Amino acid sequence: MKKLVRRMIGVGIGLLSLSLVACQGAGTTEQKETTGSEKSEKPELVFWELPYGPADTYGPALQKILDQYNSEDHSATVRLQMLSWSGFMEQYQTSIAAGSPPDITSSISYRIANWAEAGEVLDLTDIVENWKQDGDEILDDFLPGTLEIGMNDGKYYALPYVTNATTVYYRTDILEDELGFTELDKPVSWDKLFEMCEAVKNKYNGDVIPFSFCTLDQNSSNAMINVLFSNGTSWVNREGNGGAFDDPKALESMEFFKKMKDNGYFPEGMVTYNQADLEKLYQSGKVAMVWNAPASHVASDKELMEKTKMMGPVYGPSADKPRYVMRTGGVIGFAQTKYPEETKEFIEWFVKNNLGIFTEGHGGLLPLRKSFFDDPFFKSDWEISEYSRYTDYYEDITWPAPFSPAAADRILMENIIGQPEEALLMGSTDPQGDLKKAQESLNKIFDEYHGD
């Protein structure tokens, strides 16, 4: 199994460019050379990070946290190296293959699982076990289930760090002011969503599109997962070792797409939309509701922000509870580090002391610490305050699996989850057959990962 995953990493299979947030800026990969007189007696750890927020706020906020660590009495110092979104996965893979990855980084849960399967991630289990032994309050402070997402084969390889969620956001000037819909901050049924779509269609006679997803760049998988979750099912089974498209709730979810398409609630050509297309439509007032993430383009436009709210979680007829999809990111150490104990010391400190990433970094991300939401920032920042209202409904993209499956990275890269939806949008009349084909593809990949 580990040989298979190492081979996949070596040839670049599974290198998904779906990240926690959209590419918002470019960092630098240049490293500062130090002279012998400048070198500390302590070992220096290197922390690679992507710019999950604006270049003028995110990097400096993270550097401020590292400066605090370096000023305290610890066994190592930490140097930040900001990467660029351009080619970042190739940079990780090249460094791993060359035996020179950073000591520390952060990444999305299913990519960490892939690296862990290949033996490339430092085991952090002793940190968690010490917390349990000491009764550390942080164990109860993580959002439910997020600590377990970083597990693989019974061991902890990542500690919870950040998340972002995929919500429905909408134009208040259309749904509230013009059409009179209210209480949209509460869970919204499919039937109510259909009612709102019909009202928009009738009121604007084609000048305003009721509802849209984007589908290019693996976003059809995101759209499919959103609807599956809303109806109480998923793309992965409860054991985390196979697909779940054989669940009758999945076929019912396909009926959601069919009704939206047949009734003209989706824009024509939605199957070709990327995120930029969707944002332009929304900003111009040509679409009333969008199910997507992030909403940073709204937060950067004061006038648009005043006309936008996030809707309560949408739920279907078979949902046991309302849900929104979140993508959980963890902080890890690479197994090739020369300083494993020093790396673990920093990671433990970092997950307890990273509030400034959110309050000063302005990346549109949410913390995975419940106590952080008590900070006034989470009520004053429009985007974060909107996301924060629905934290009780968020489930990781790999729900209901008890951990993040390593196969998820490849499955998402190949856009298998979104194929039934794409087929329907392009005219297929056999949703059950399309789900069956996708289920077979899902199980084939899971079998490759779980085979001998």
Side-chain angles (χ1 to χ4, degrees):
M1 171 58 217
K2 292 188 185 298
K3 289 181 180 178
L4 169 66
V5 178
R6 285 195 183 102
R7 186 165 66 250
M8 288 179 173
I9 287 177
V11 299
I13 294 176
L15 308 188
L16 178 63
S17 61
L18 289 175
S19 301
L20 284 171
V21 293
C23 304
Q24 301 180 52
T28 176
T29 59
E30 294 180 1
Q31 300 186 28
K32 179 181 177 182
E33 296 294 330
T34 58
T35 65
S37 61
E38 293 174 322
K39 291 181 179 178
S40 169
E41 294 181 359
K42 296 180 180 179
E44 181 184 69
L45 308 177
V46 177
F47 186 169
W48 281 12
E49 181 68 311
L50 285 158
Y52 292 122
D56 60 341
T57 57
Y58 190 83
L62 181 53
Q63 184 61 59
K64 183 177 179 181
I65 293 171
L66 300 192
D67 288 344
Q68 178 186 344
Y69 184 82
N70 291 337
S71 70
E72 297 175 358
D73 184 20
H74 295 289
S75 60
T77 60
V78 182
R79 174 166 54 85
L80 176 62
Q81 183 175 335
M82 294 298 295
L83 305 184
S84 167
W85 286 104
S86 178
F88 77 95
M89 278 308 305
E90 290 81 358
Q91 193 166 359
Y92 275 113
Q93 298 309 111
T94 299
S95 70
I96 291 171
S100 57
D103 302 280
I104 306 139
T105 196
S106 68
S107 191
I108 200 163
S109 61
Y110 47 77
R111 186 168 298 123
I112 293 171
N114 209 2
W115 286 337
E117 283 282 358
E120 296 293 347
V121 182
L122 192 64
D123 184 358
L124 305 179
T125 304
D126 55 345
I127 295 176
V128 179
E129 291 303 319
N130 288 338
W131 286 344
K132 292 178 180 178
Q133 183 176 342
D134 297 341
D136 198 307
E137 63 185 12
I138 196 172
L139 289 171
D140 293 325
D141 199 34
F142 291 127
L143 292 183
T146 56
L147 182 61
E148 290 70 28
I149 290 169
M151 295 187 72
N152 185 280
D153 198 24
K155 297 179 180 180
Y156 293 92
Y157 288 98
L159 298 183
Y161 180 27
V162 298
T163 189
N164 83 325
T166 306
T167 64
V168 176
Y169 56 95
Y170 66 95
R171 304 262 322 199
T172 58
D173 54 335
I174 296 174
L175 292 186
E176 294 182 2
D177 299 343
E178 287 291 330
L179 297 173
F181 287 100
T182 61
E183 298 188 330
L184 297 183
D185 58 337
K186 296 179 172 58
V188 174
S189 68
W190 284 5
D191 285 342
K192 186 168 184 178
L193 188 68
F194 296 147
E195 179 187 351
M196 288 188 285
C197 287
E198 186 66 19
V200 172
K201 180 182 175 182
N202 292 337
K203 172 73 176 180
Y204 295 97
N205 196 29
D207 290 336
V208 177
I209 299 161
F211 195 98
S212 188
F213 294 98
C214 60
T215 54
L216 287 186
D217 305 322
Q218 291 93 24
N219 278 301
S220 60
S221 285
N222 293 336
M224 187 72 178
I225 295 169
N226 291 335
V227 176
L228 290 168
F229 273 38
S230 77
N231 202 35
T233 189
S234 182
W235 60 275
V236 60
N237 64 23
R238 292 187 176 276
E239 292 73 34
N241 60 7
F245 279 173
D246 53 352
D247 184 342
K249 295 178 184 178
L251 183 59
E252 197 170 34
S253 299
M254 291 293 289
E255 290 299 316
F256 172 91
F257 287 105
K258 185 177 187 301
K259 183 167 184 175
M260 295 288 280
K261 175 179 179 288
D262 290 349
N263 288 357
Y265 300 154
F266 286 153
E268 290 187 17
M270 188 180 77
V271 73
T272 66
Y273 281 17
N274 60 26
Q275 183 156 318
D277 296 327
L278 200 55
E279 290 177 0
K280 288 177 183 177
L281 281 174
Y282 188 81
Q283 288 167 330
S284 65
K286 297 297 184 182
V287 63
M289 292 171 276
V290 168
W291 201 340
N292 195 36
S296 300
H297 73 104
V298 177
S300 63
D301 184 330
K302 184 177 180 181
E303 183 179 353
L304 187 60
M305 185 171 62
E306 292 173 349
K307 300 176 181 177
T308 299
K309 289 181 182 177
M310 292 187 191
M311 192 176 290
V314 176
Y315 65 94
S318 296
D320 56 325
K321 57 174 283 190
R323 290 181 177 85
Y324 266 145
V325 180
M326 71 175 181
R327 288 155 181 77
T328 304
V331 60
I332 67 168
F334 277 102
Q336 295 187 50
T337 178
K338 296 178 182 178
Y339 309 108
E341 295 306 315
E342 291 85 351
T343 296
K344 288 189 285 186
E345 178 186 349
F346 170 75
I347 290 174
E348 180 177 11
W349 181 92
F350 182 72
V351 297
K352 293 183 176 183
N353 295 277
N354 59 36
L355 176 61
I357 285 291
F358 310 97
T359 59
E360 299 178 34
H362 303 295
L365 300 173
L366 292 175
L368 293 172
R369 298 276 306 279
K370 290 182 285 188
S371 62
F372 283 11
F373 289 98
D374 294 333
D375 190 277
F377 169 78
F378 294 95
K379 296 177 176 62
S380 62
D381 180 89
W382 175 82
E383 184 177 9
I384 296 301
S385 65
E386 288 288 305
Y387 279 126
S388 299
R389 288 195 292 168
Y390 304 116
T391 54
D392 290 343
Y393 300 105
Y394 295 152
E395 295 277 9
D396 186 70
I397 192 171
T398 58
W399 172 84
F403 53 86
S404 186
D409 203 6
R410 180 177 166 195
I411 287 168
L412 285 161
M413 182 199 69
E414 296 184 11
N415 201 37
I416 293 168
I417 301 167
Q419 288 173 0
E421 175 210 346
E422 288 189 5
L424 185 148
L425 293 175
M426 290 188 289
S428 173
T429 58
D430 184 17
Q432 189 165 12
D434 295 329
L435 285 171
K436 182 178 179 181
K437 290 177 185 176
Q439 175 76 356
E440 291 171 353
S441 297
L442 290 172
N443 287 339
K444 181 178 179 182
I445 293 178
F446 275 112
D447 288 345
E448 289 177 11
Y449 273 79
H450 293 280
D452 294 332

